[in-house]
Structures are given as C-alpha cells and as structure tokens.
Amino acid sequence: GNSVTQMEGPVTLSEEAFLTINCTYTATGYPSLFWYVQYPGEGLQLLLKATKADDKGSNKGFEATYRKETTSFHLEKGSVQVSDSAVYFCALSGPFYNQGGKLIFGQGTELSVKP
Amino acid sequence: AAGVIQSPRHLIKEKRETATLKCYPIPRHDTVYWYQQGPGQDPQFLISFYEKMQSDKGSIPDRFSAQQFSDYHSELNMSSLELGDSALYFCASSLKGLAGEETQYFGPGTRLLVL
C-alpha cells in the first residue's frame, strides 16, 4: 500500500541555518504530496503542496519539489527562525481513483531552532 | 477566514464510558475526514464522509461510529472506551475538486484522555 517515510528527528539547528527534511514515498500512480506543520499543542496546518510531478510547492520561505523519478518531496528552507520550531509531517493522498482522498502521513520530524 | 471547529477541545472519560466528538467543517466544504493521533505518533485515518455519505473507512474500531448530518457537521461516537483510545482526534474538511484533487484543512483537535 501507499506509505511515506521521513527522516528521523529531532533536528536541531541554529537560527539562519539551512534546513532539509527528507521525505520519500511509495504509491501507485500519481499521488498529491503535502507538508503539514504542527506547533506545540496545536492542530495541523498545511504548509505547502504539489499535485503533479516537477511541481514546486512553496510557502513562508519553505519549498518542496515533487520528484517522481526519486519518489521524493524533500522540504527545504534557506534560513530557519526560532519560530519555525515545530513538528513537520510529510503526507500523500490518492491517486483518487483507487485511494480516495485520505491522507497518509510520515512519522513526523521534530525541528528545534536555537537562537 | 472560517476554519474547522471541533468540540470539545478536551475530554476526560473513564474506561467503558461513551464519548461524542463534534466537527463543524469550513462553510461549503462537502467532505469531512477523521484522524486519530496517539502520543508521539503520526495521524491515522479513521473514516470520511462525502455529501453526508460514508466515503472511506480506515482503522476505525467497531466500537466507534460516525456520521455526517444535513448541515455537514460530523460526529464521532466512541463507546466502551479503552485506555488506548487516549489520543488527539482531528477533523479535517475539504472541497472535492473535479479530478479528486483537494486540500484538507484541519481543526485544532479534541484531546481525549481515558482514565
């Protein structure tokens, strides 16, 4: 079945450092790919998404490119801030015709940014 | 902008009791998803509804049931509660696209503690 694998955390960085969180997936067909962020004690917020191969999702300085050839959707940010400290979830849904719209999540990567 | 509303935000129950969680989707959204997130775990899909009909079912125990009402709000009913049911329960809503592409927007969650 479909699955998502993320790099294990926690990841600890200094402010203004470069961030990469690796995400790979297994799926039939062409799923949609997402990054969600969960701040302490809060719900899941959509960070960015990509719905087809070579699409780049971006938001708040974060970027991720849908790579069909490597089945990856790595999250990057050029300069992290303390306020980026959170748990990041990579997720996929679909393809709709045989998997419906439910999200399948990776195990989450905790990011801690120090001043 | 209106978001997904969940109530209650916190709930404490004893073993073998019953709990009802409510979800109010974003206006005009036609699909509701329920997820369960155990401590330190990734969210797991439970069940979904599209236009008031069950559309997909995941790892939802037989002790749980859910429905979507005519005003599109949804309720998750949990009976014979067990200690292992202690978790964060998320509701997400979306609007189905023509190709099944959709983005799910999550509520803040209901934190259930079973004693």
Side-chain angles (χ1 to χ4, degrees):
Chain A
N2 292 357
S3 66
V4 176
T5 302
Q6 286 180 238
M7 64 184 284
E8 289 191 20
V11 174
T12 302
L13 296 173
S14 297
E15 206 164 21
E16 299 183 2
F18 184 86
L19 169 71
T20 299
I21 300 178
N22 290 337
C23 171
T24 57
Y25 68 90
T26 301
T28 55
Y30 292 85
S32 294
L33 300 174
F34 305 84
W35 277 100
Y36 281 86
V37 58
Q38 186 173 31
Y39 297 100
E42 297 186 11
L44 294 160
Q45 298 178 25
L46 176 67
L47 184 58
L48 54 83
K49 71 173 186 178
T51 57
K52 59 183 186 293
D54 299 323
D55 266 2
K56 177 186 282 189
S58 60
N59 185 28
K60 300 180 182 179
F62 291 90
E63 291 183 341
T65 301
Y66 189 143
R67 301 285 188 202
K68 181 66 176 176
E69 64 275 13
T70 55
T71 61
S72 65
F73 194 55
H74 305 320
L75 183 68
E76 296 182 335
K77 187 176 186 183
S79 176
V80 294
Q81 306 299 313
V82 173
S83 57
D84 294 327
S85 298
V87 179
Y88 292 81
F89 288 96
C90 185
L92 69 78
S93 72
F96 185 78
Y97 58 84
N98 69 355
Q99 296 292 325
K102 63 179 178 288
L103 286 167
I104 295 172
F105 289 88
Q107 61 269 49
T109 302
E110 182 181 359
L111 171 66
S112 178
V113 180
K114 306 298 185 186
Chain B
V4 177
I5 297 171
Q6 289 188 248
S7 68
R9 293 293 308 278
H10 302 273
L11 193 57
I12 299 175
K13 291 286 185 179
E14 301 277 340
K15 280 194 308 184
R16 293 179 291 277
E17 284 191 323
T18 301
T20 297
L21 280 53
K22 296 185 179 182
C23 169
Y24 297 86
I26 292 171
R28 292 185 296 280
H29 278 194
D30 53 17
T31 306
V32 165
Y33 296 84
W34 286 96
Y35 295 86
Q36 177 192 58
Q37 185 181 28
Q41 304 293 312
D42 55 290
Q44 296 290 316
F45 169 71
L46 293 177
I47 195 167
S48 63
F49 294 87
Y50 169 64
E51 285 291 344
K52 294 156 279 186
M53 299 288 289
Q54 181 180 309
S55 54
D56 197 1
K57 197 171 182 181
S59 50
I60 183 169
D62 292 341
R63 300 176 289 108
F64 294 7
S65 65
Q67 61 183 119
Q68 187 178 29
F69 294 85
S70 57
D71 63 351
Y72 291 92
H73 94 272
S74 178
E75 295 184 4
L76 178 65
N77 298 293
M78 310 161 70
S79 63
S80 302
L81 287 168
E82 302 174 357
L83 297 179
D85 296 329
S86 296
L88 193 54
Y89 290 82
F90 287 112
C91 171
S93 76
S94 69
L95 182 63
K96 281 271 188 285
L98 288 175
E101 294 180 359
E102 60 185 292
T103 297
Q104 294 180 33
Y105 295 90
F106 282 75
T110 294
R111 189 171 296 279
L112 172 66
L113 178 61
V114 181
L115 301 175

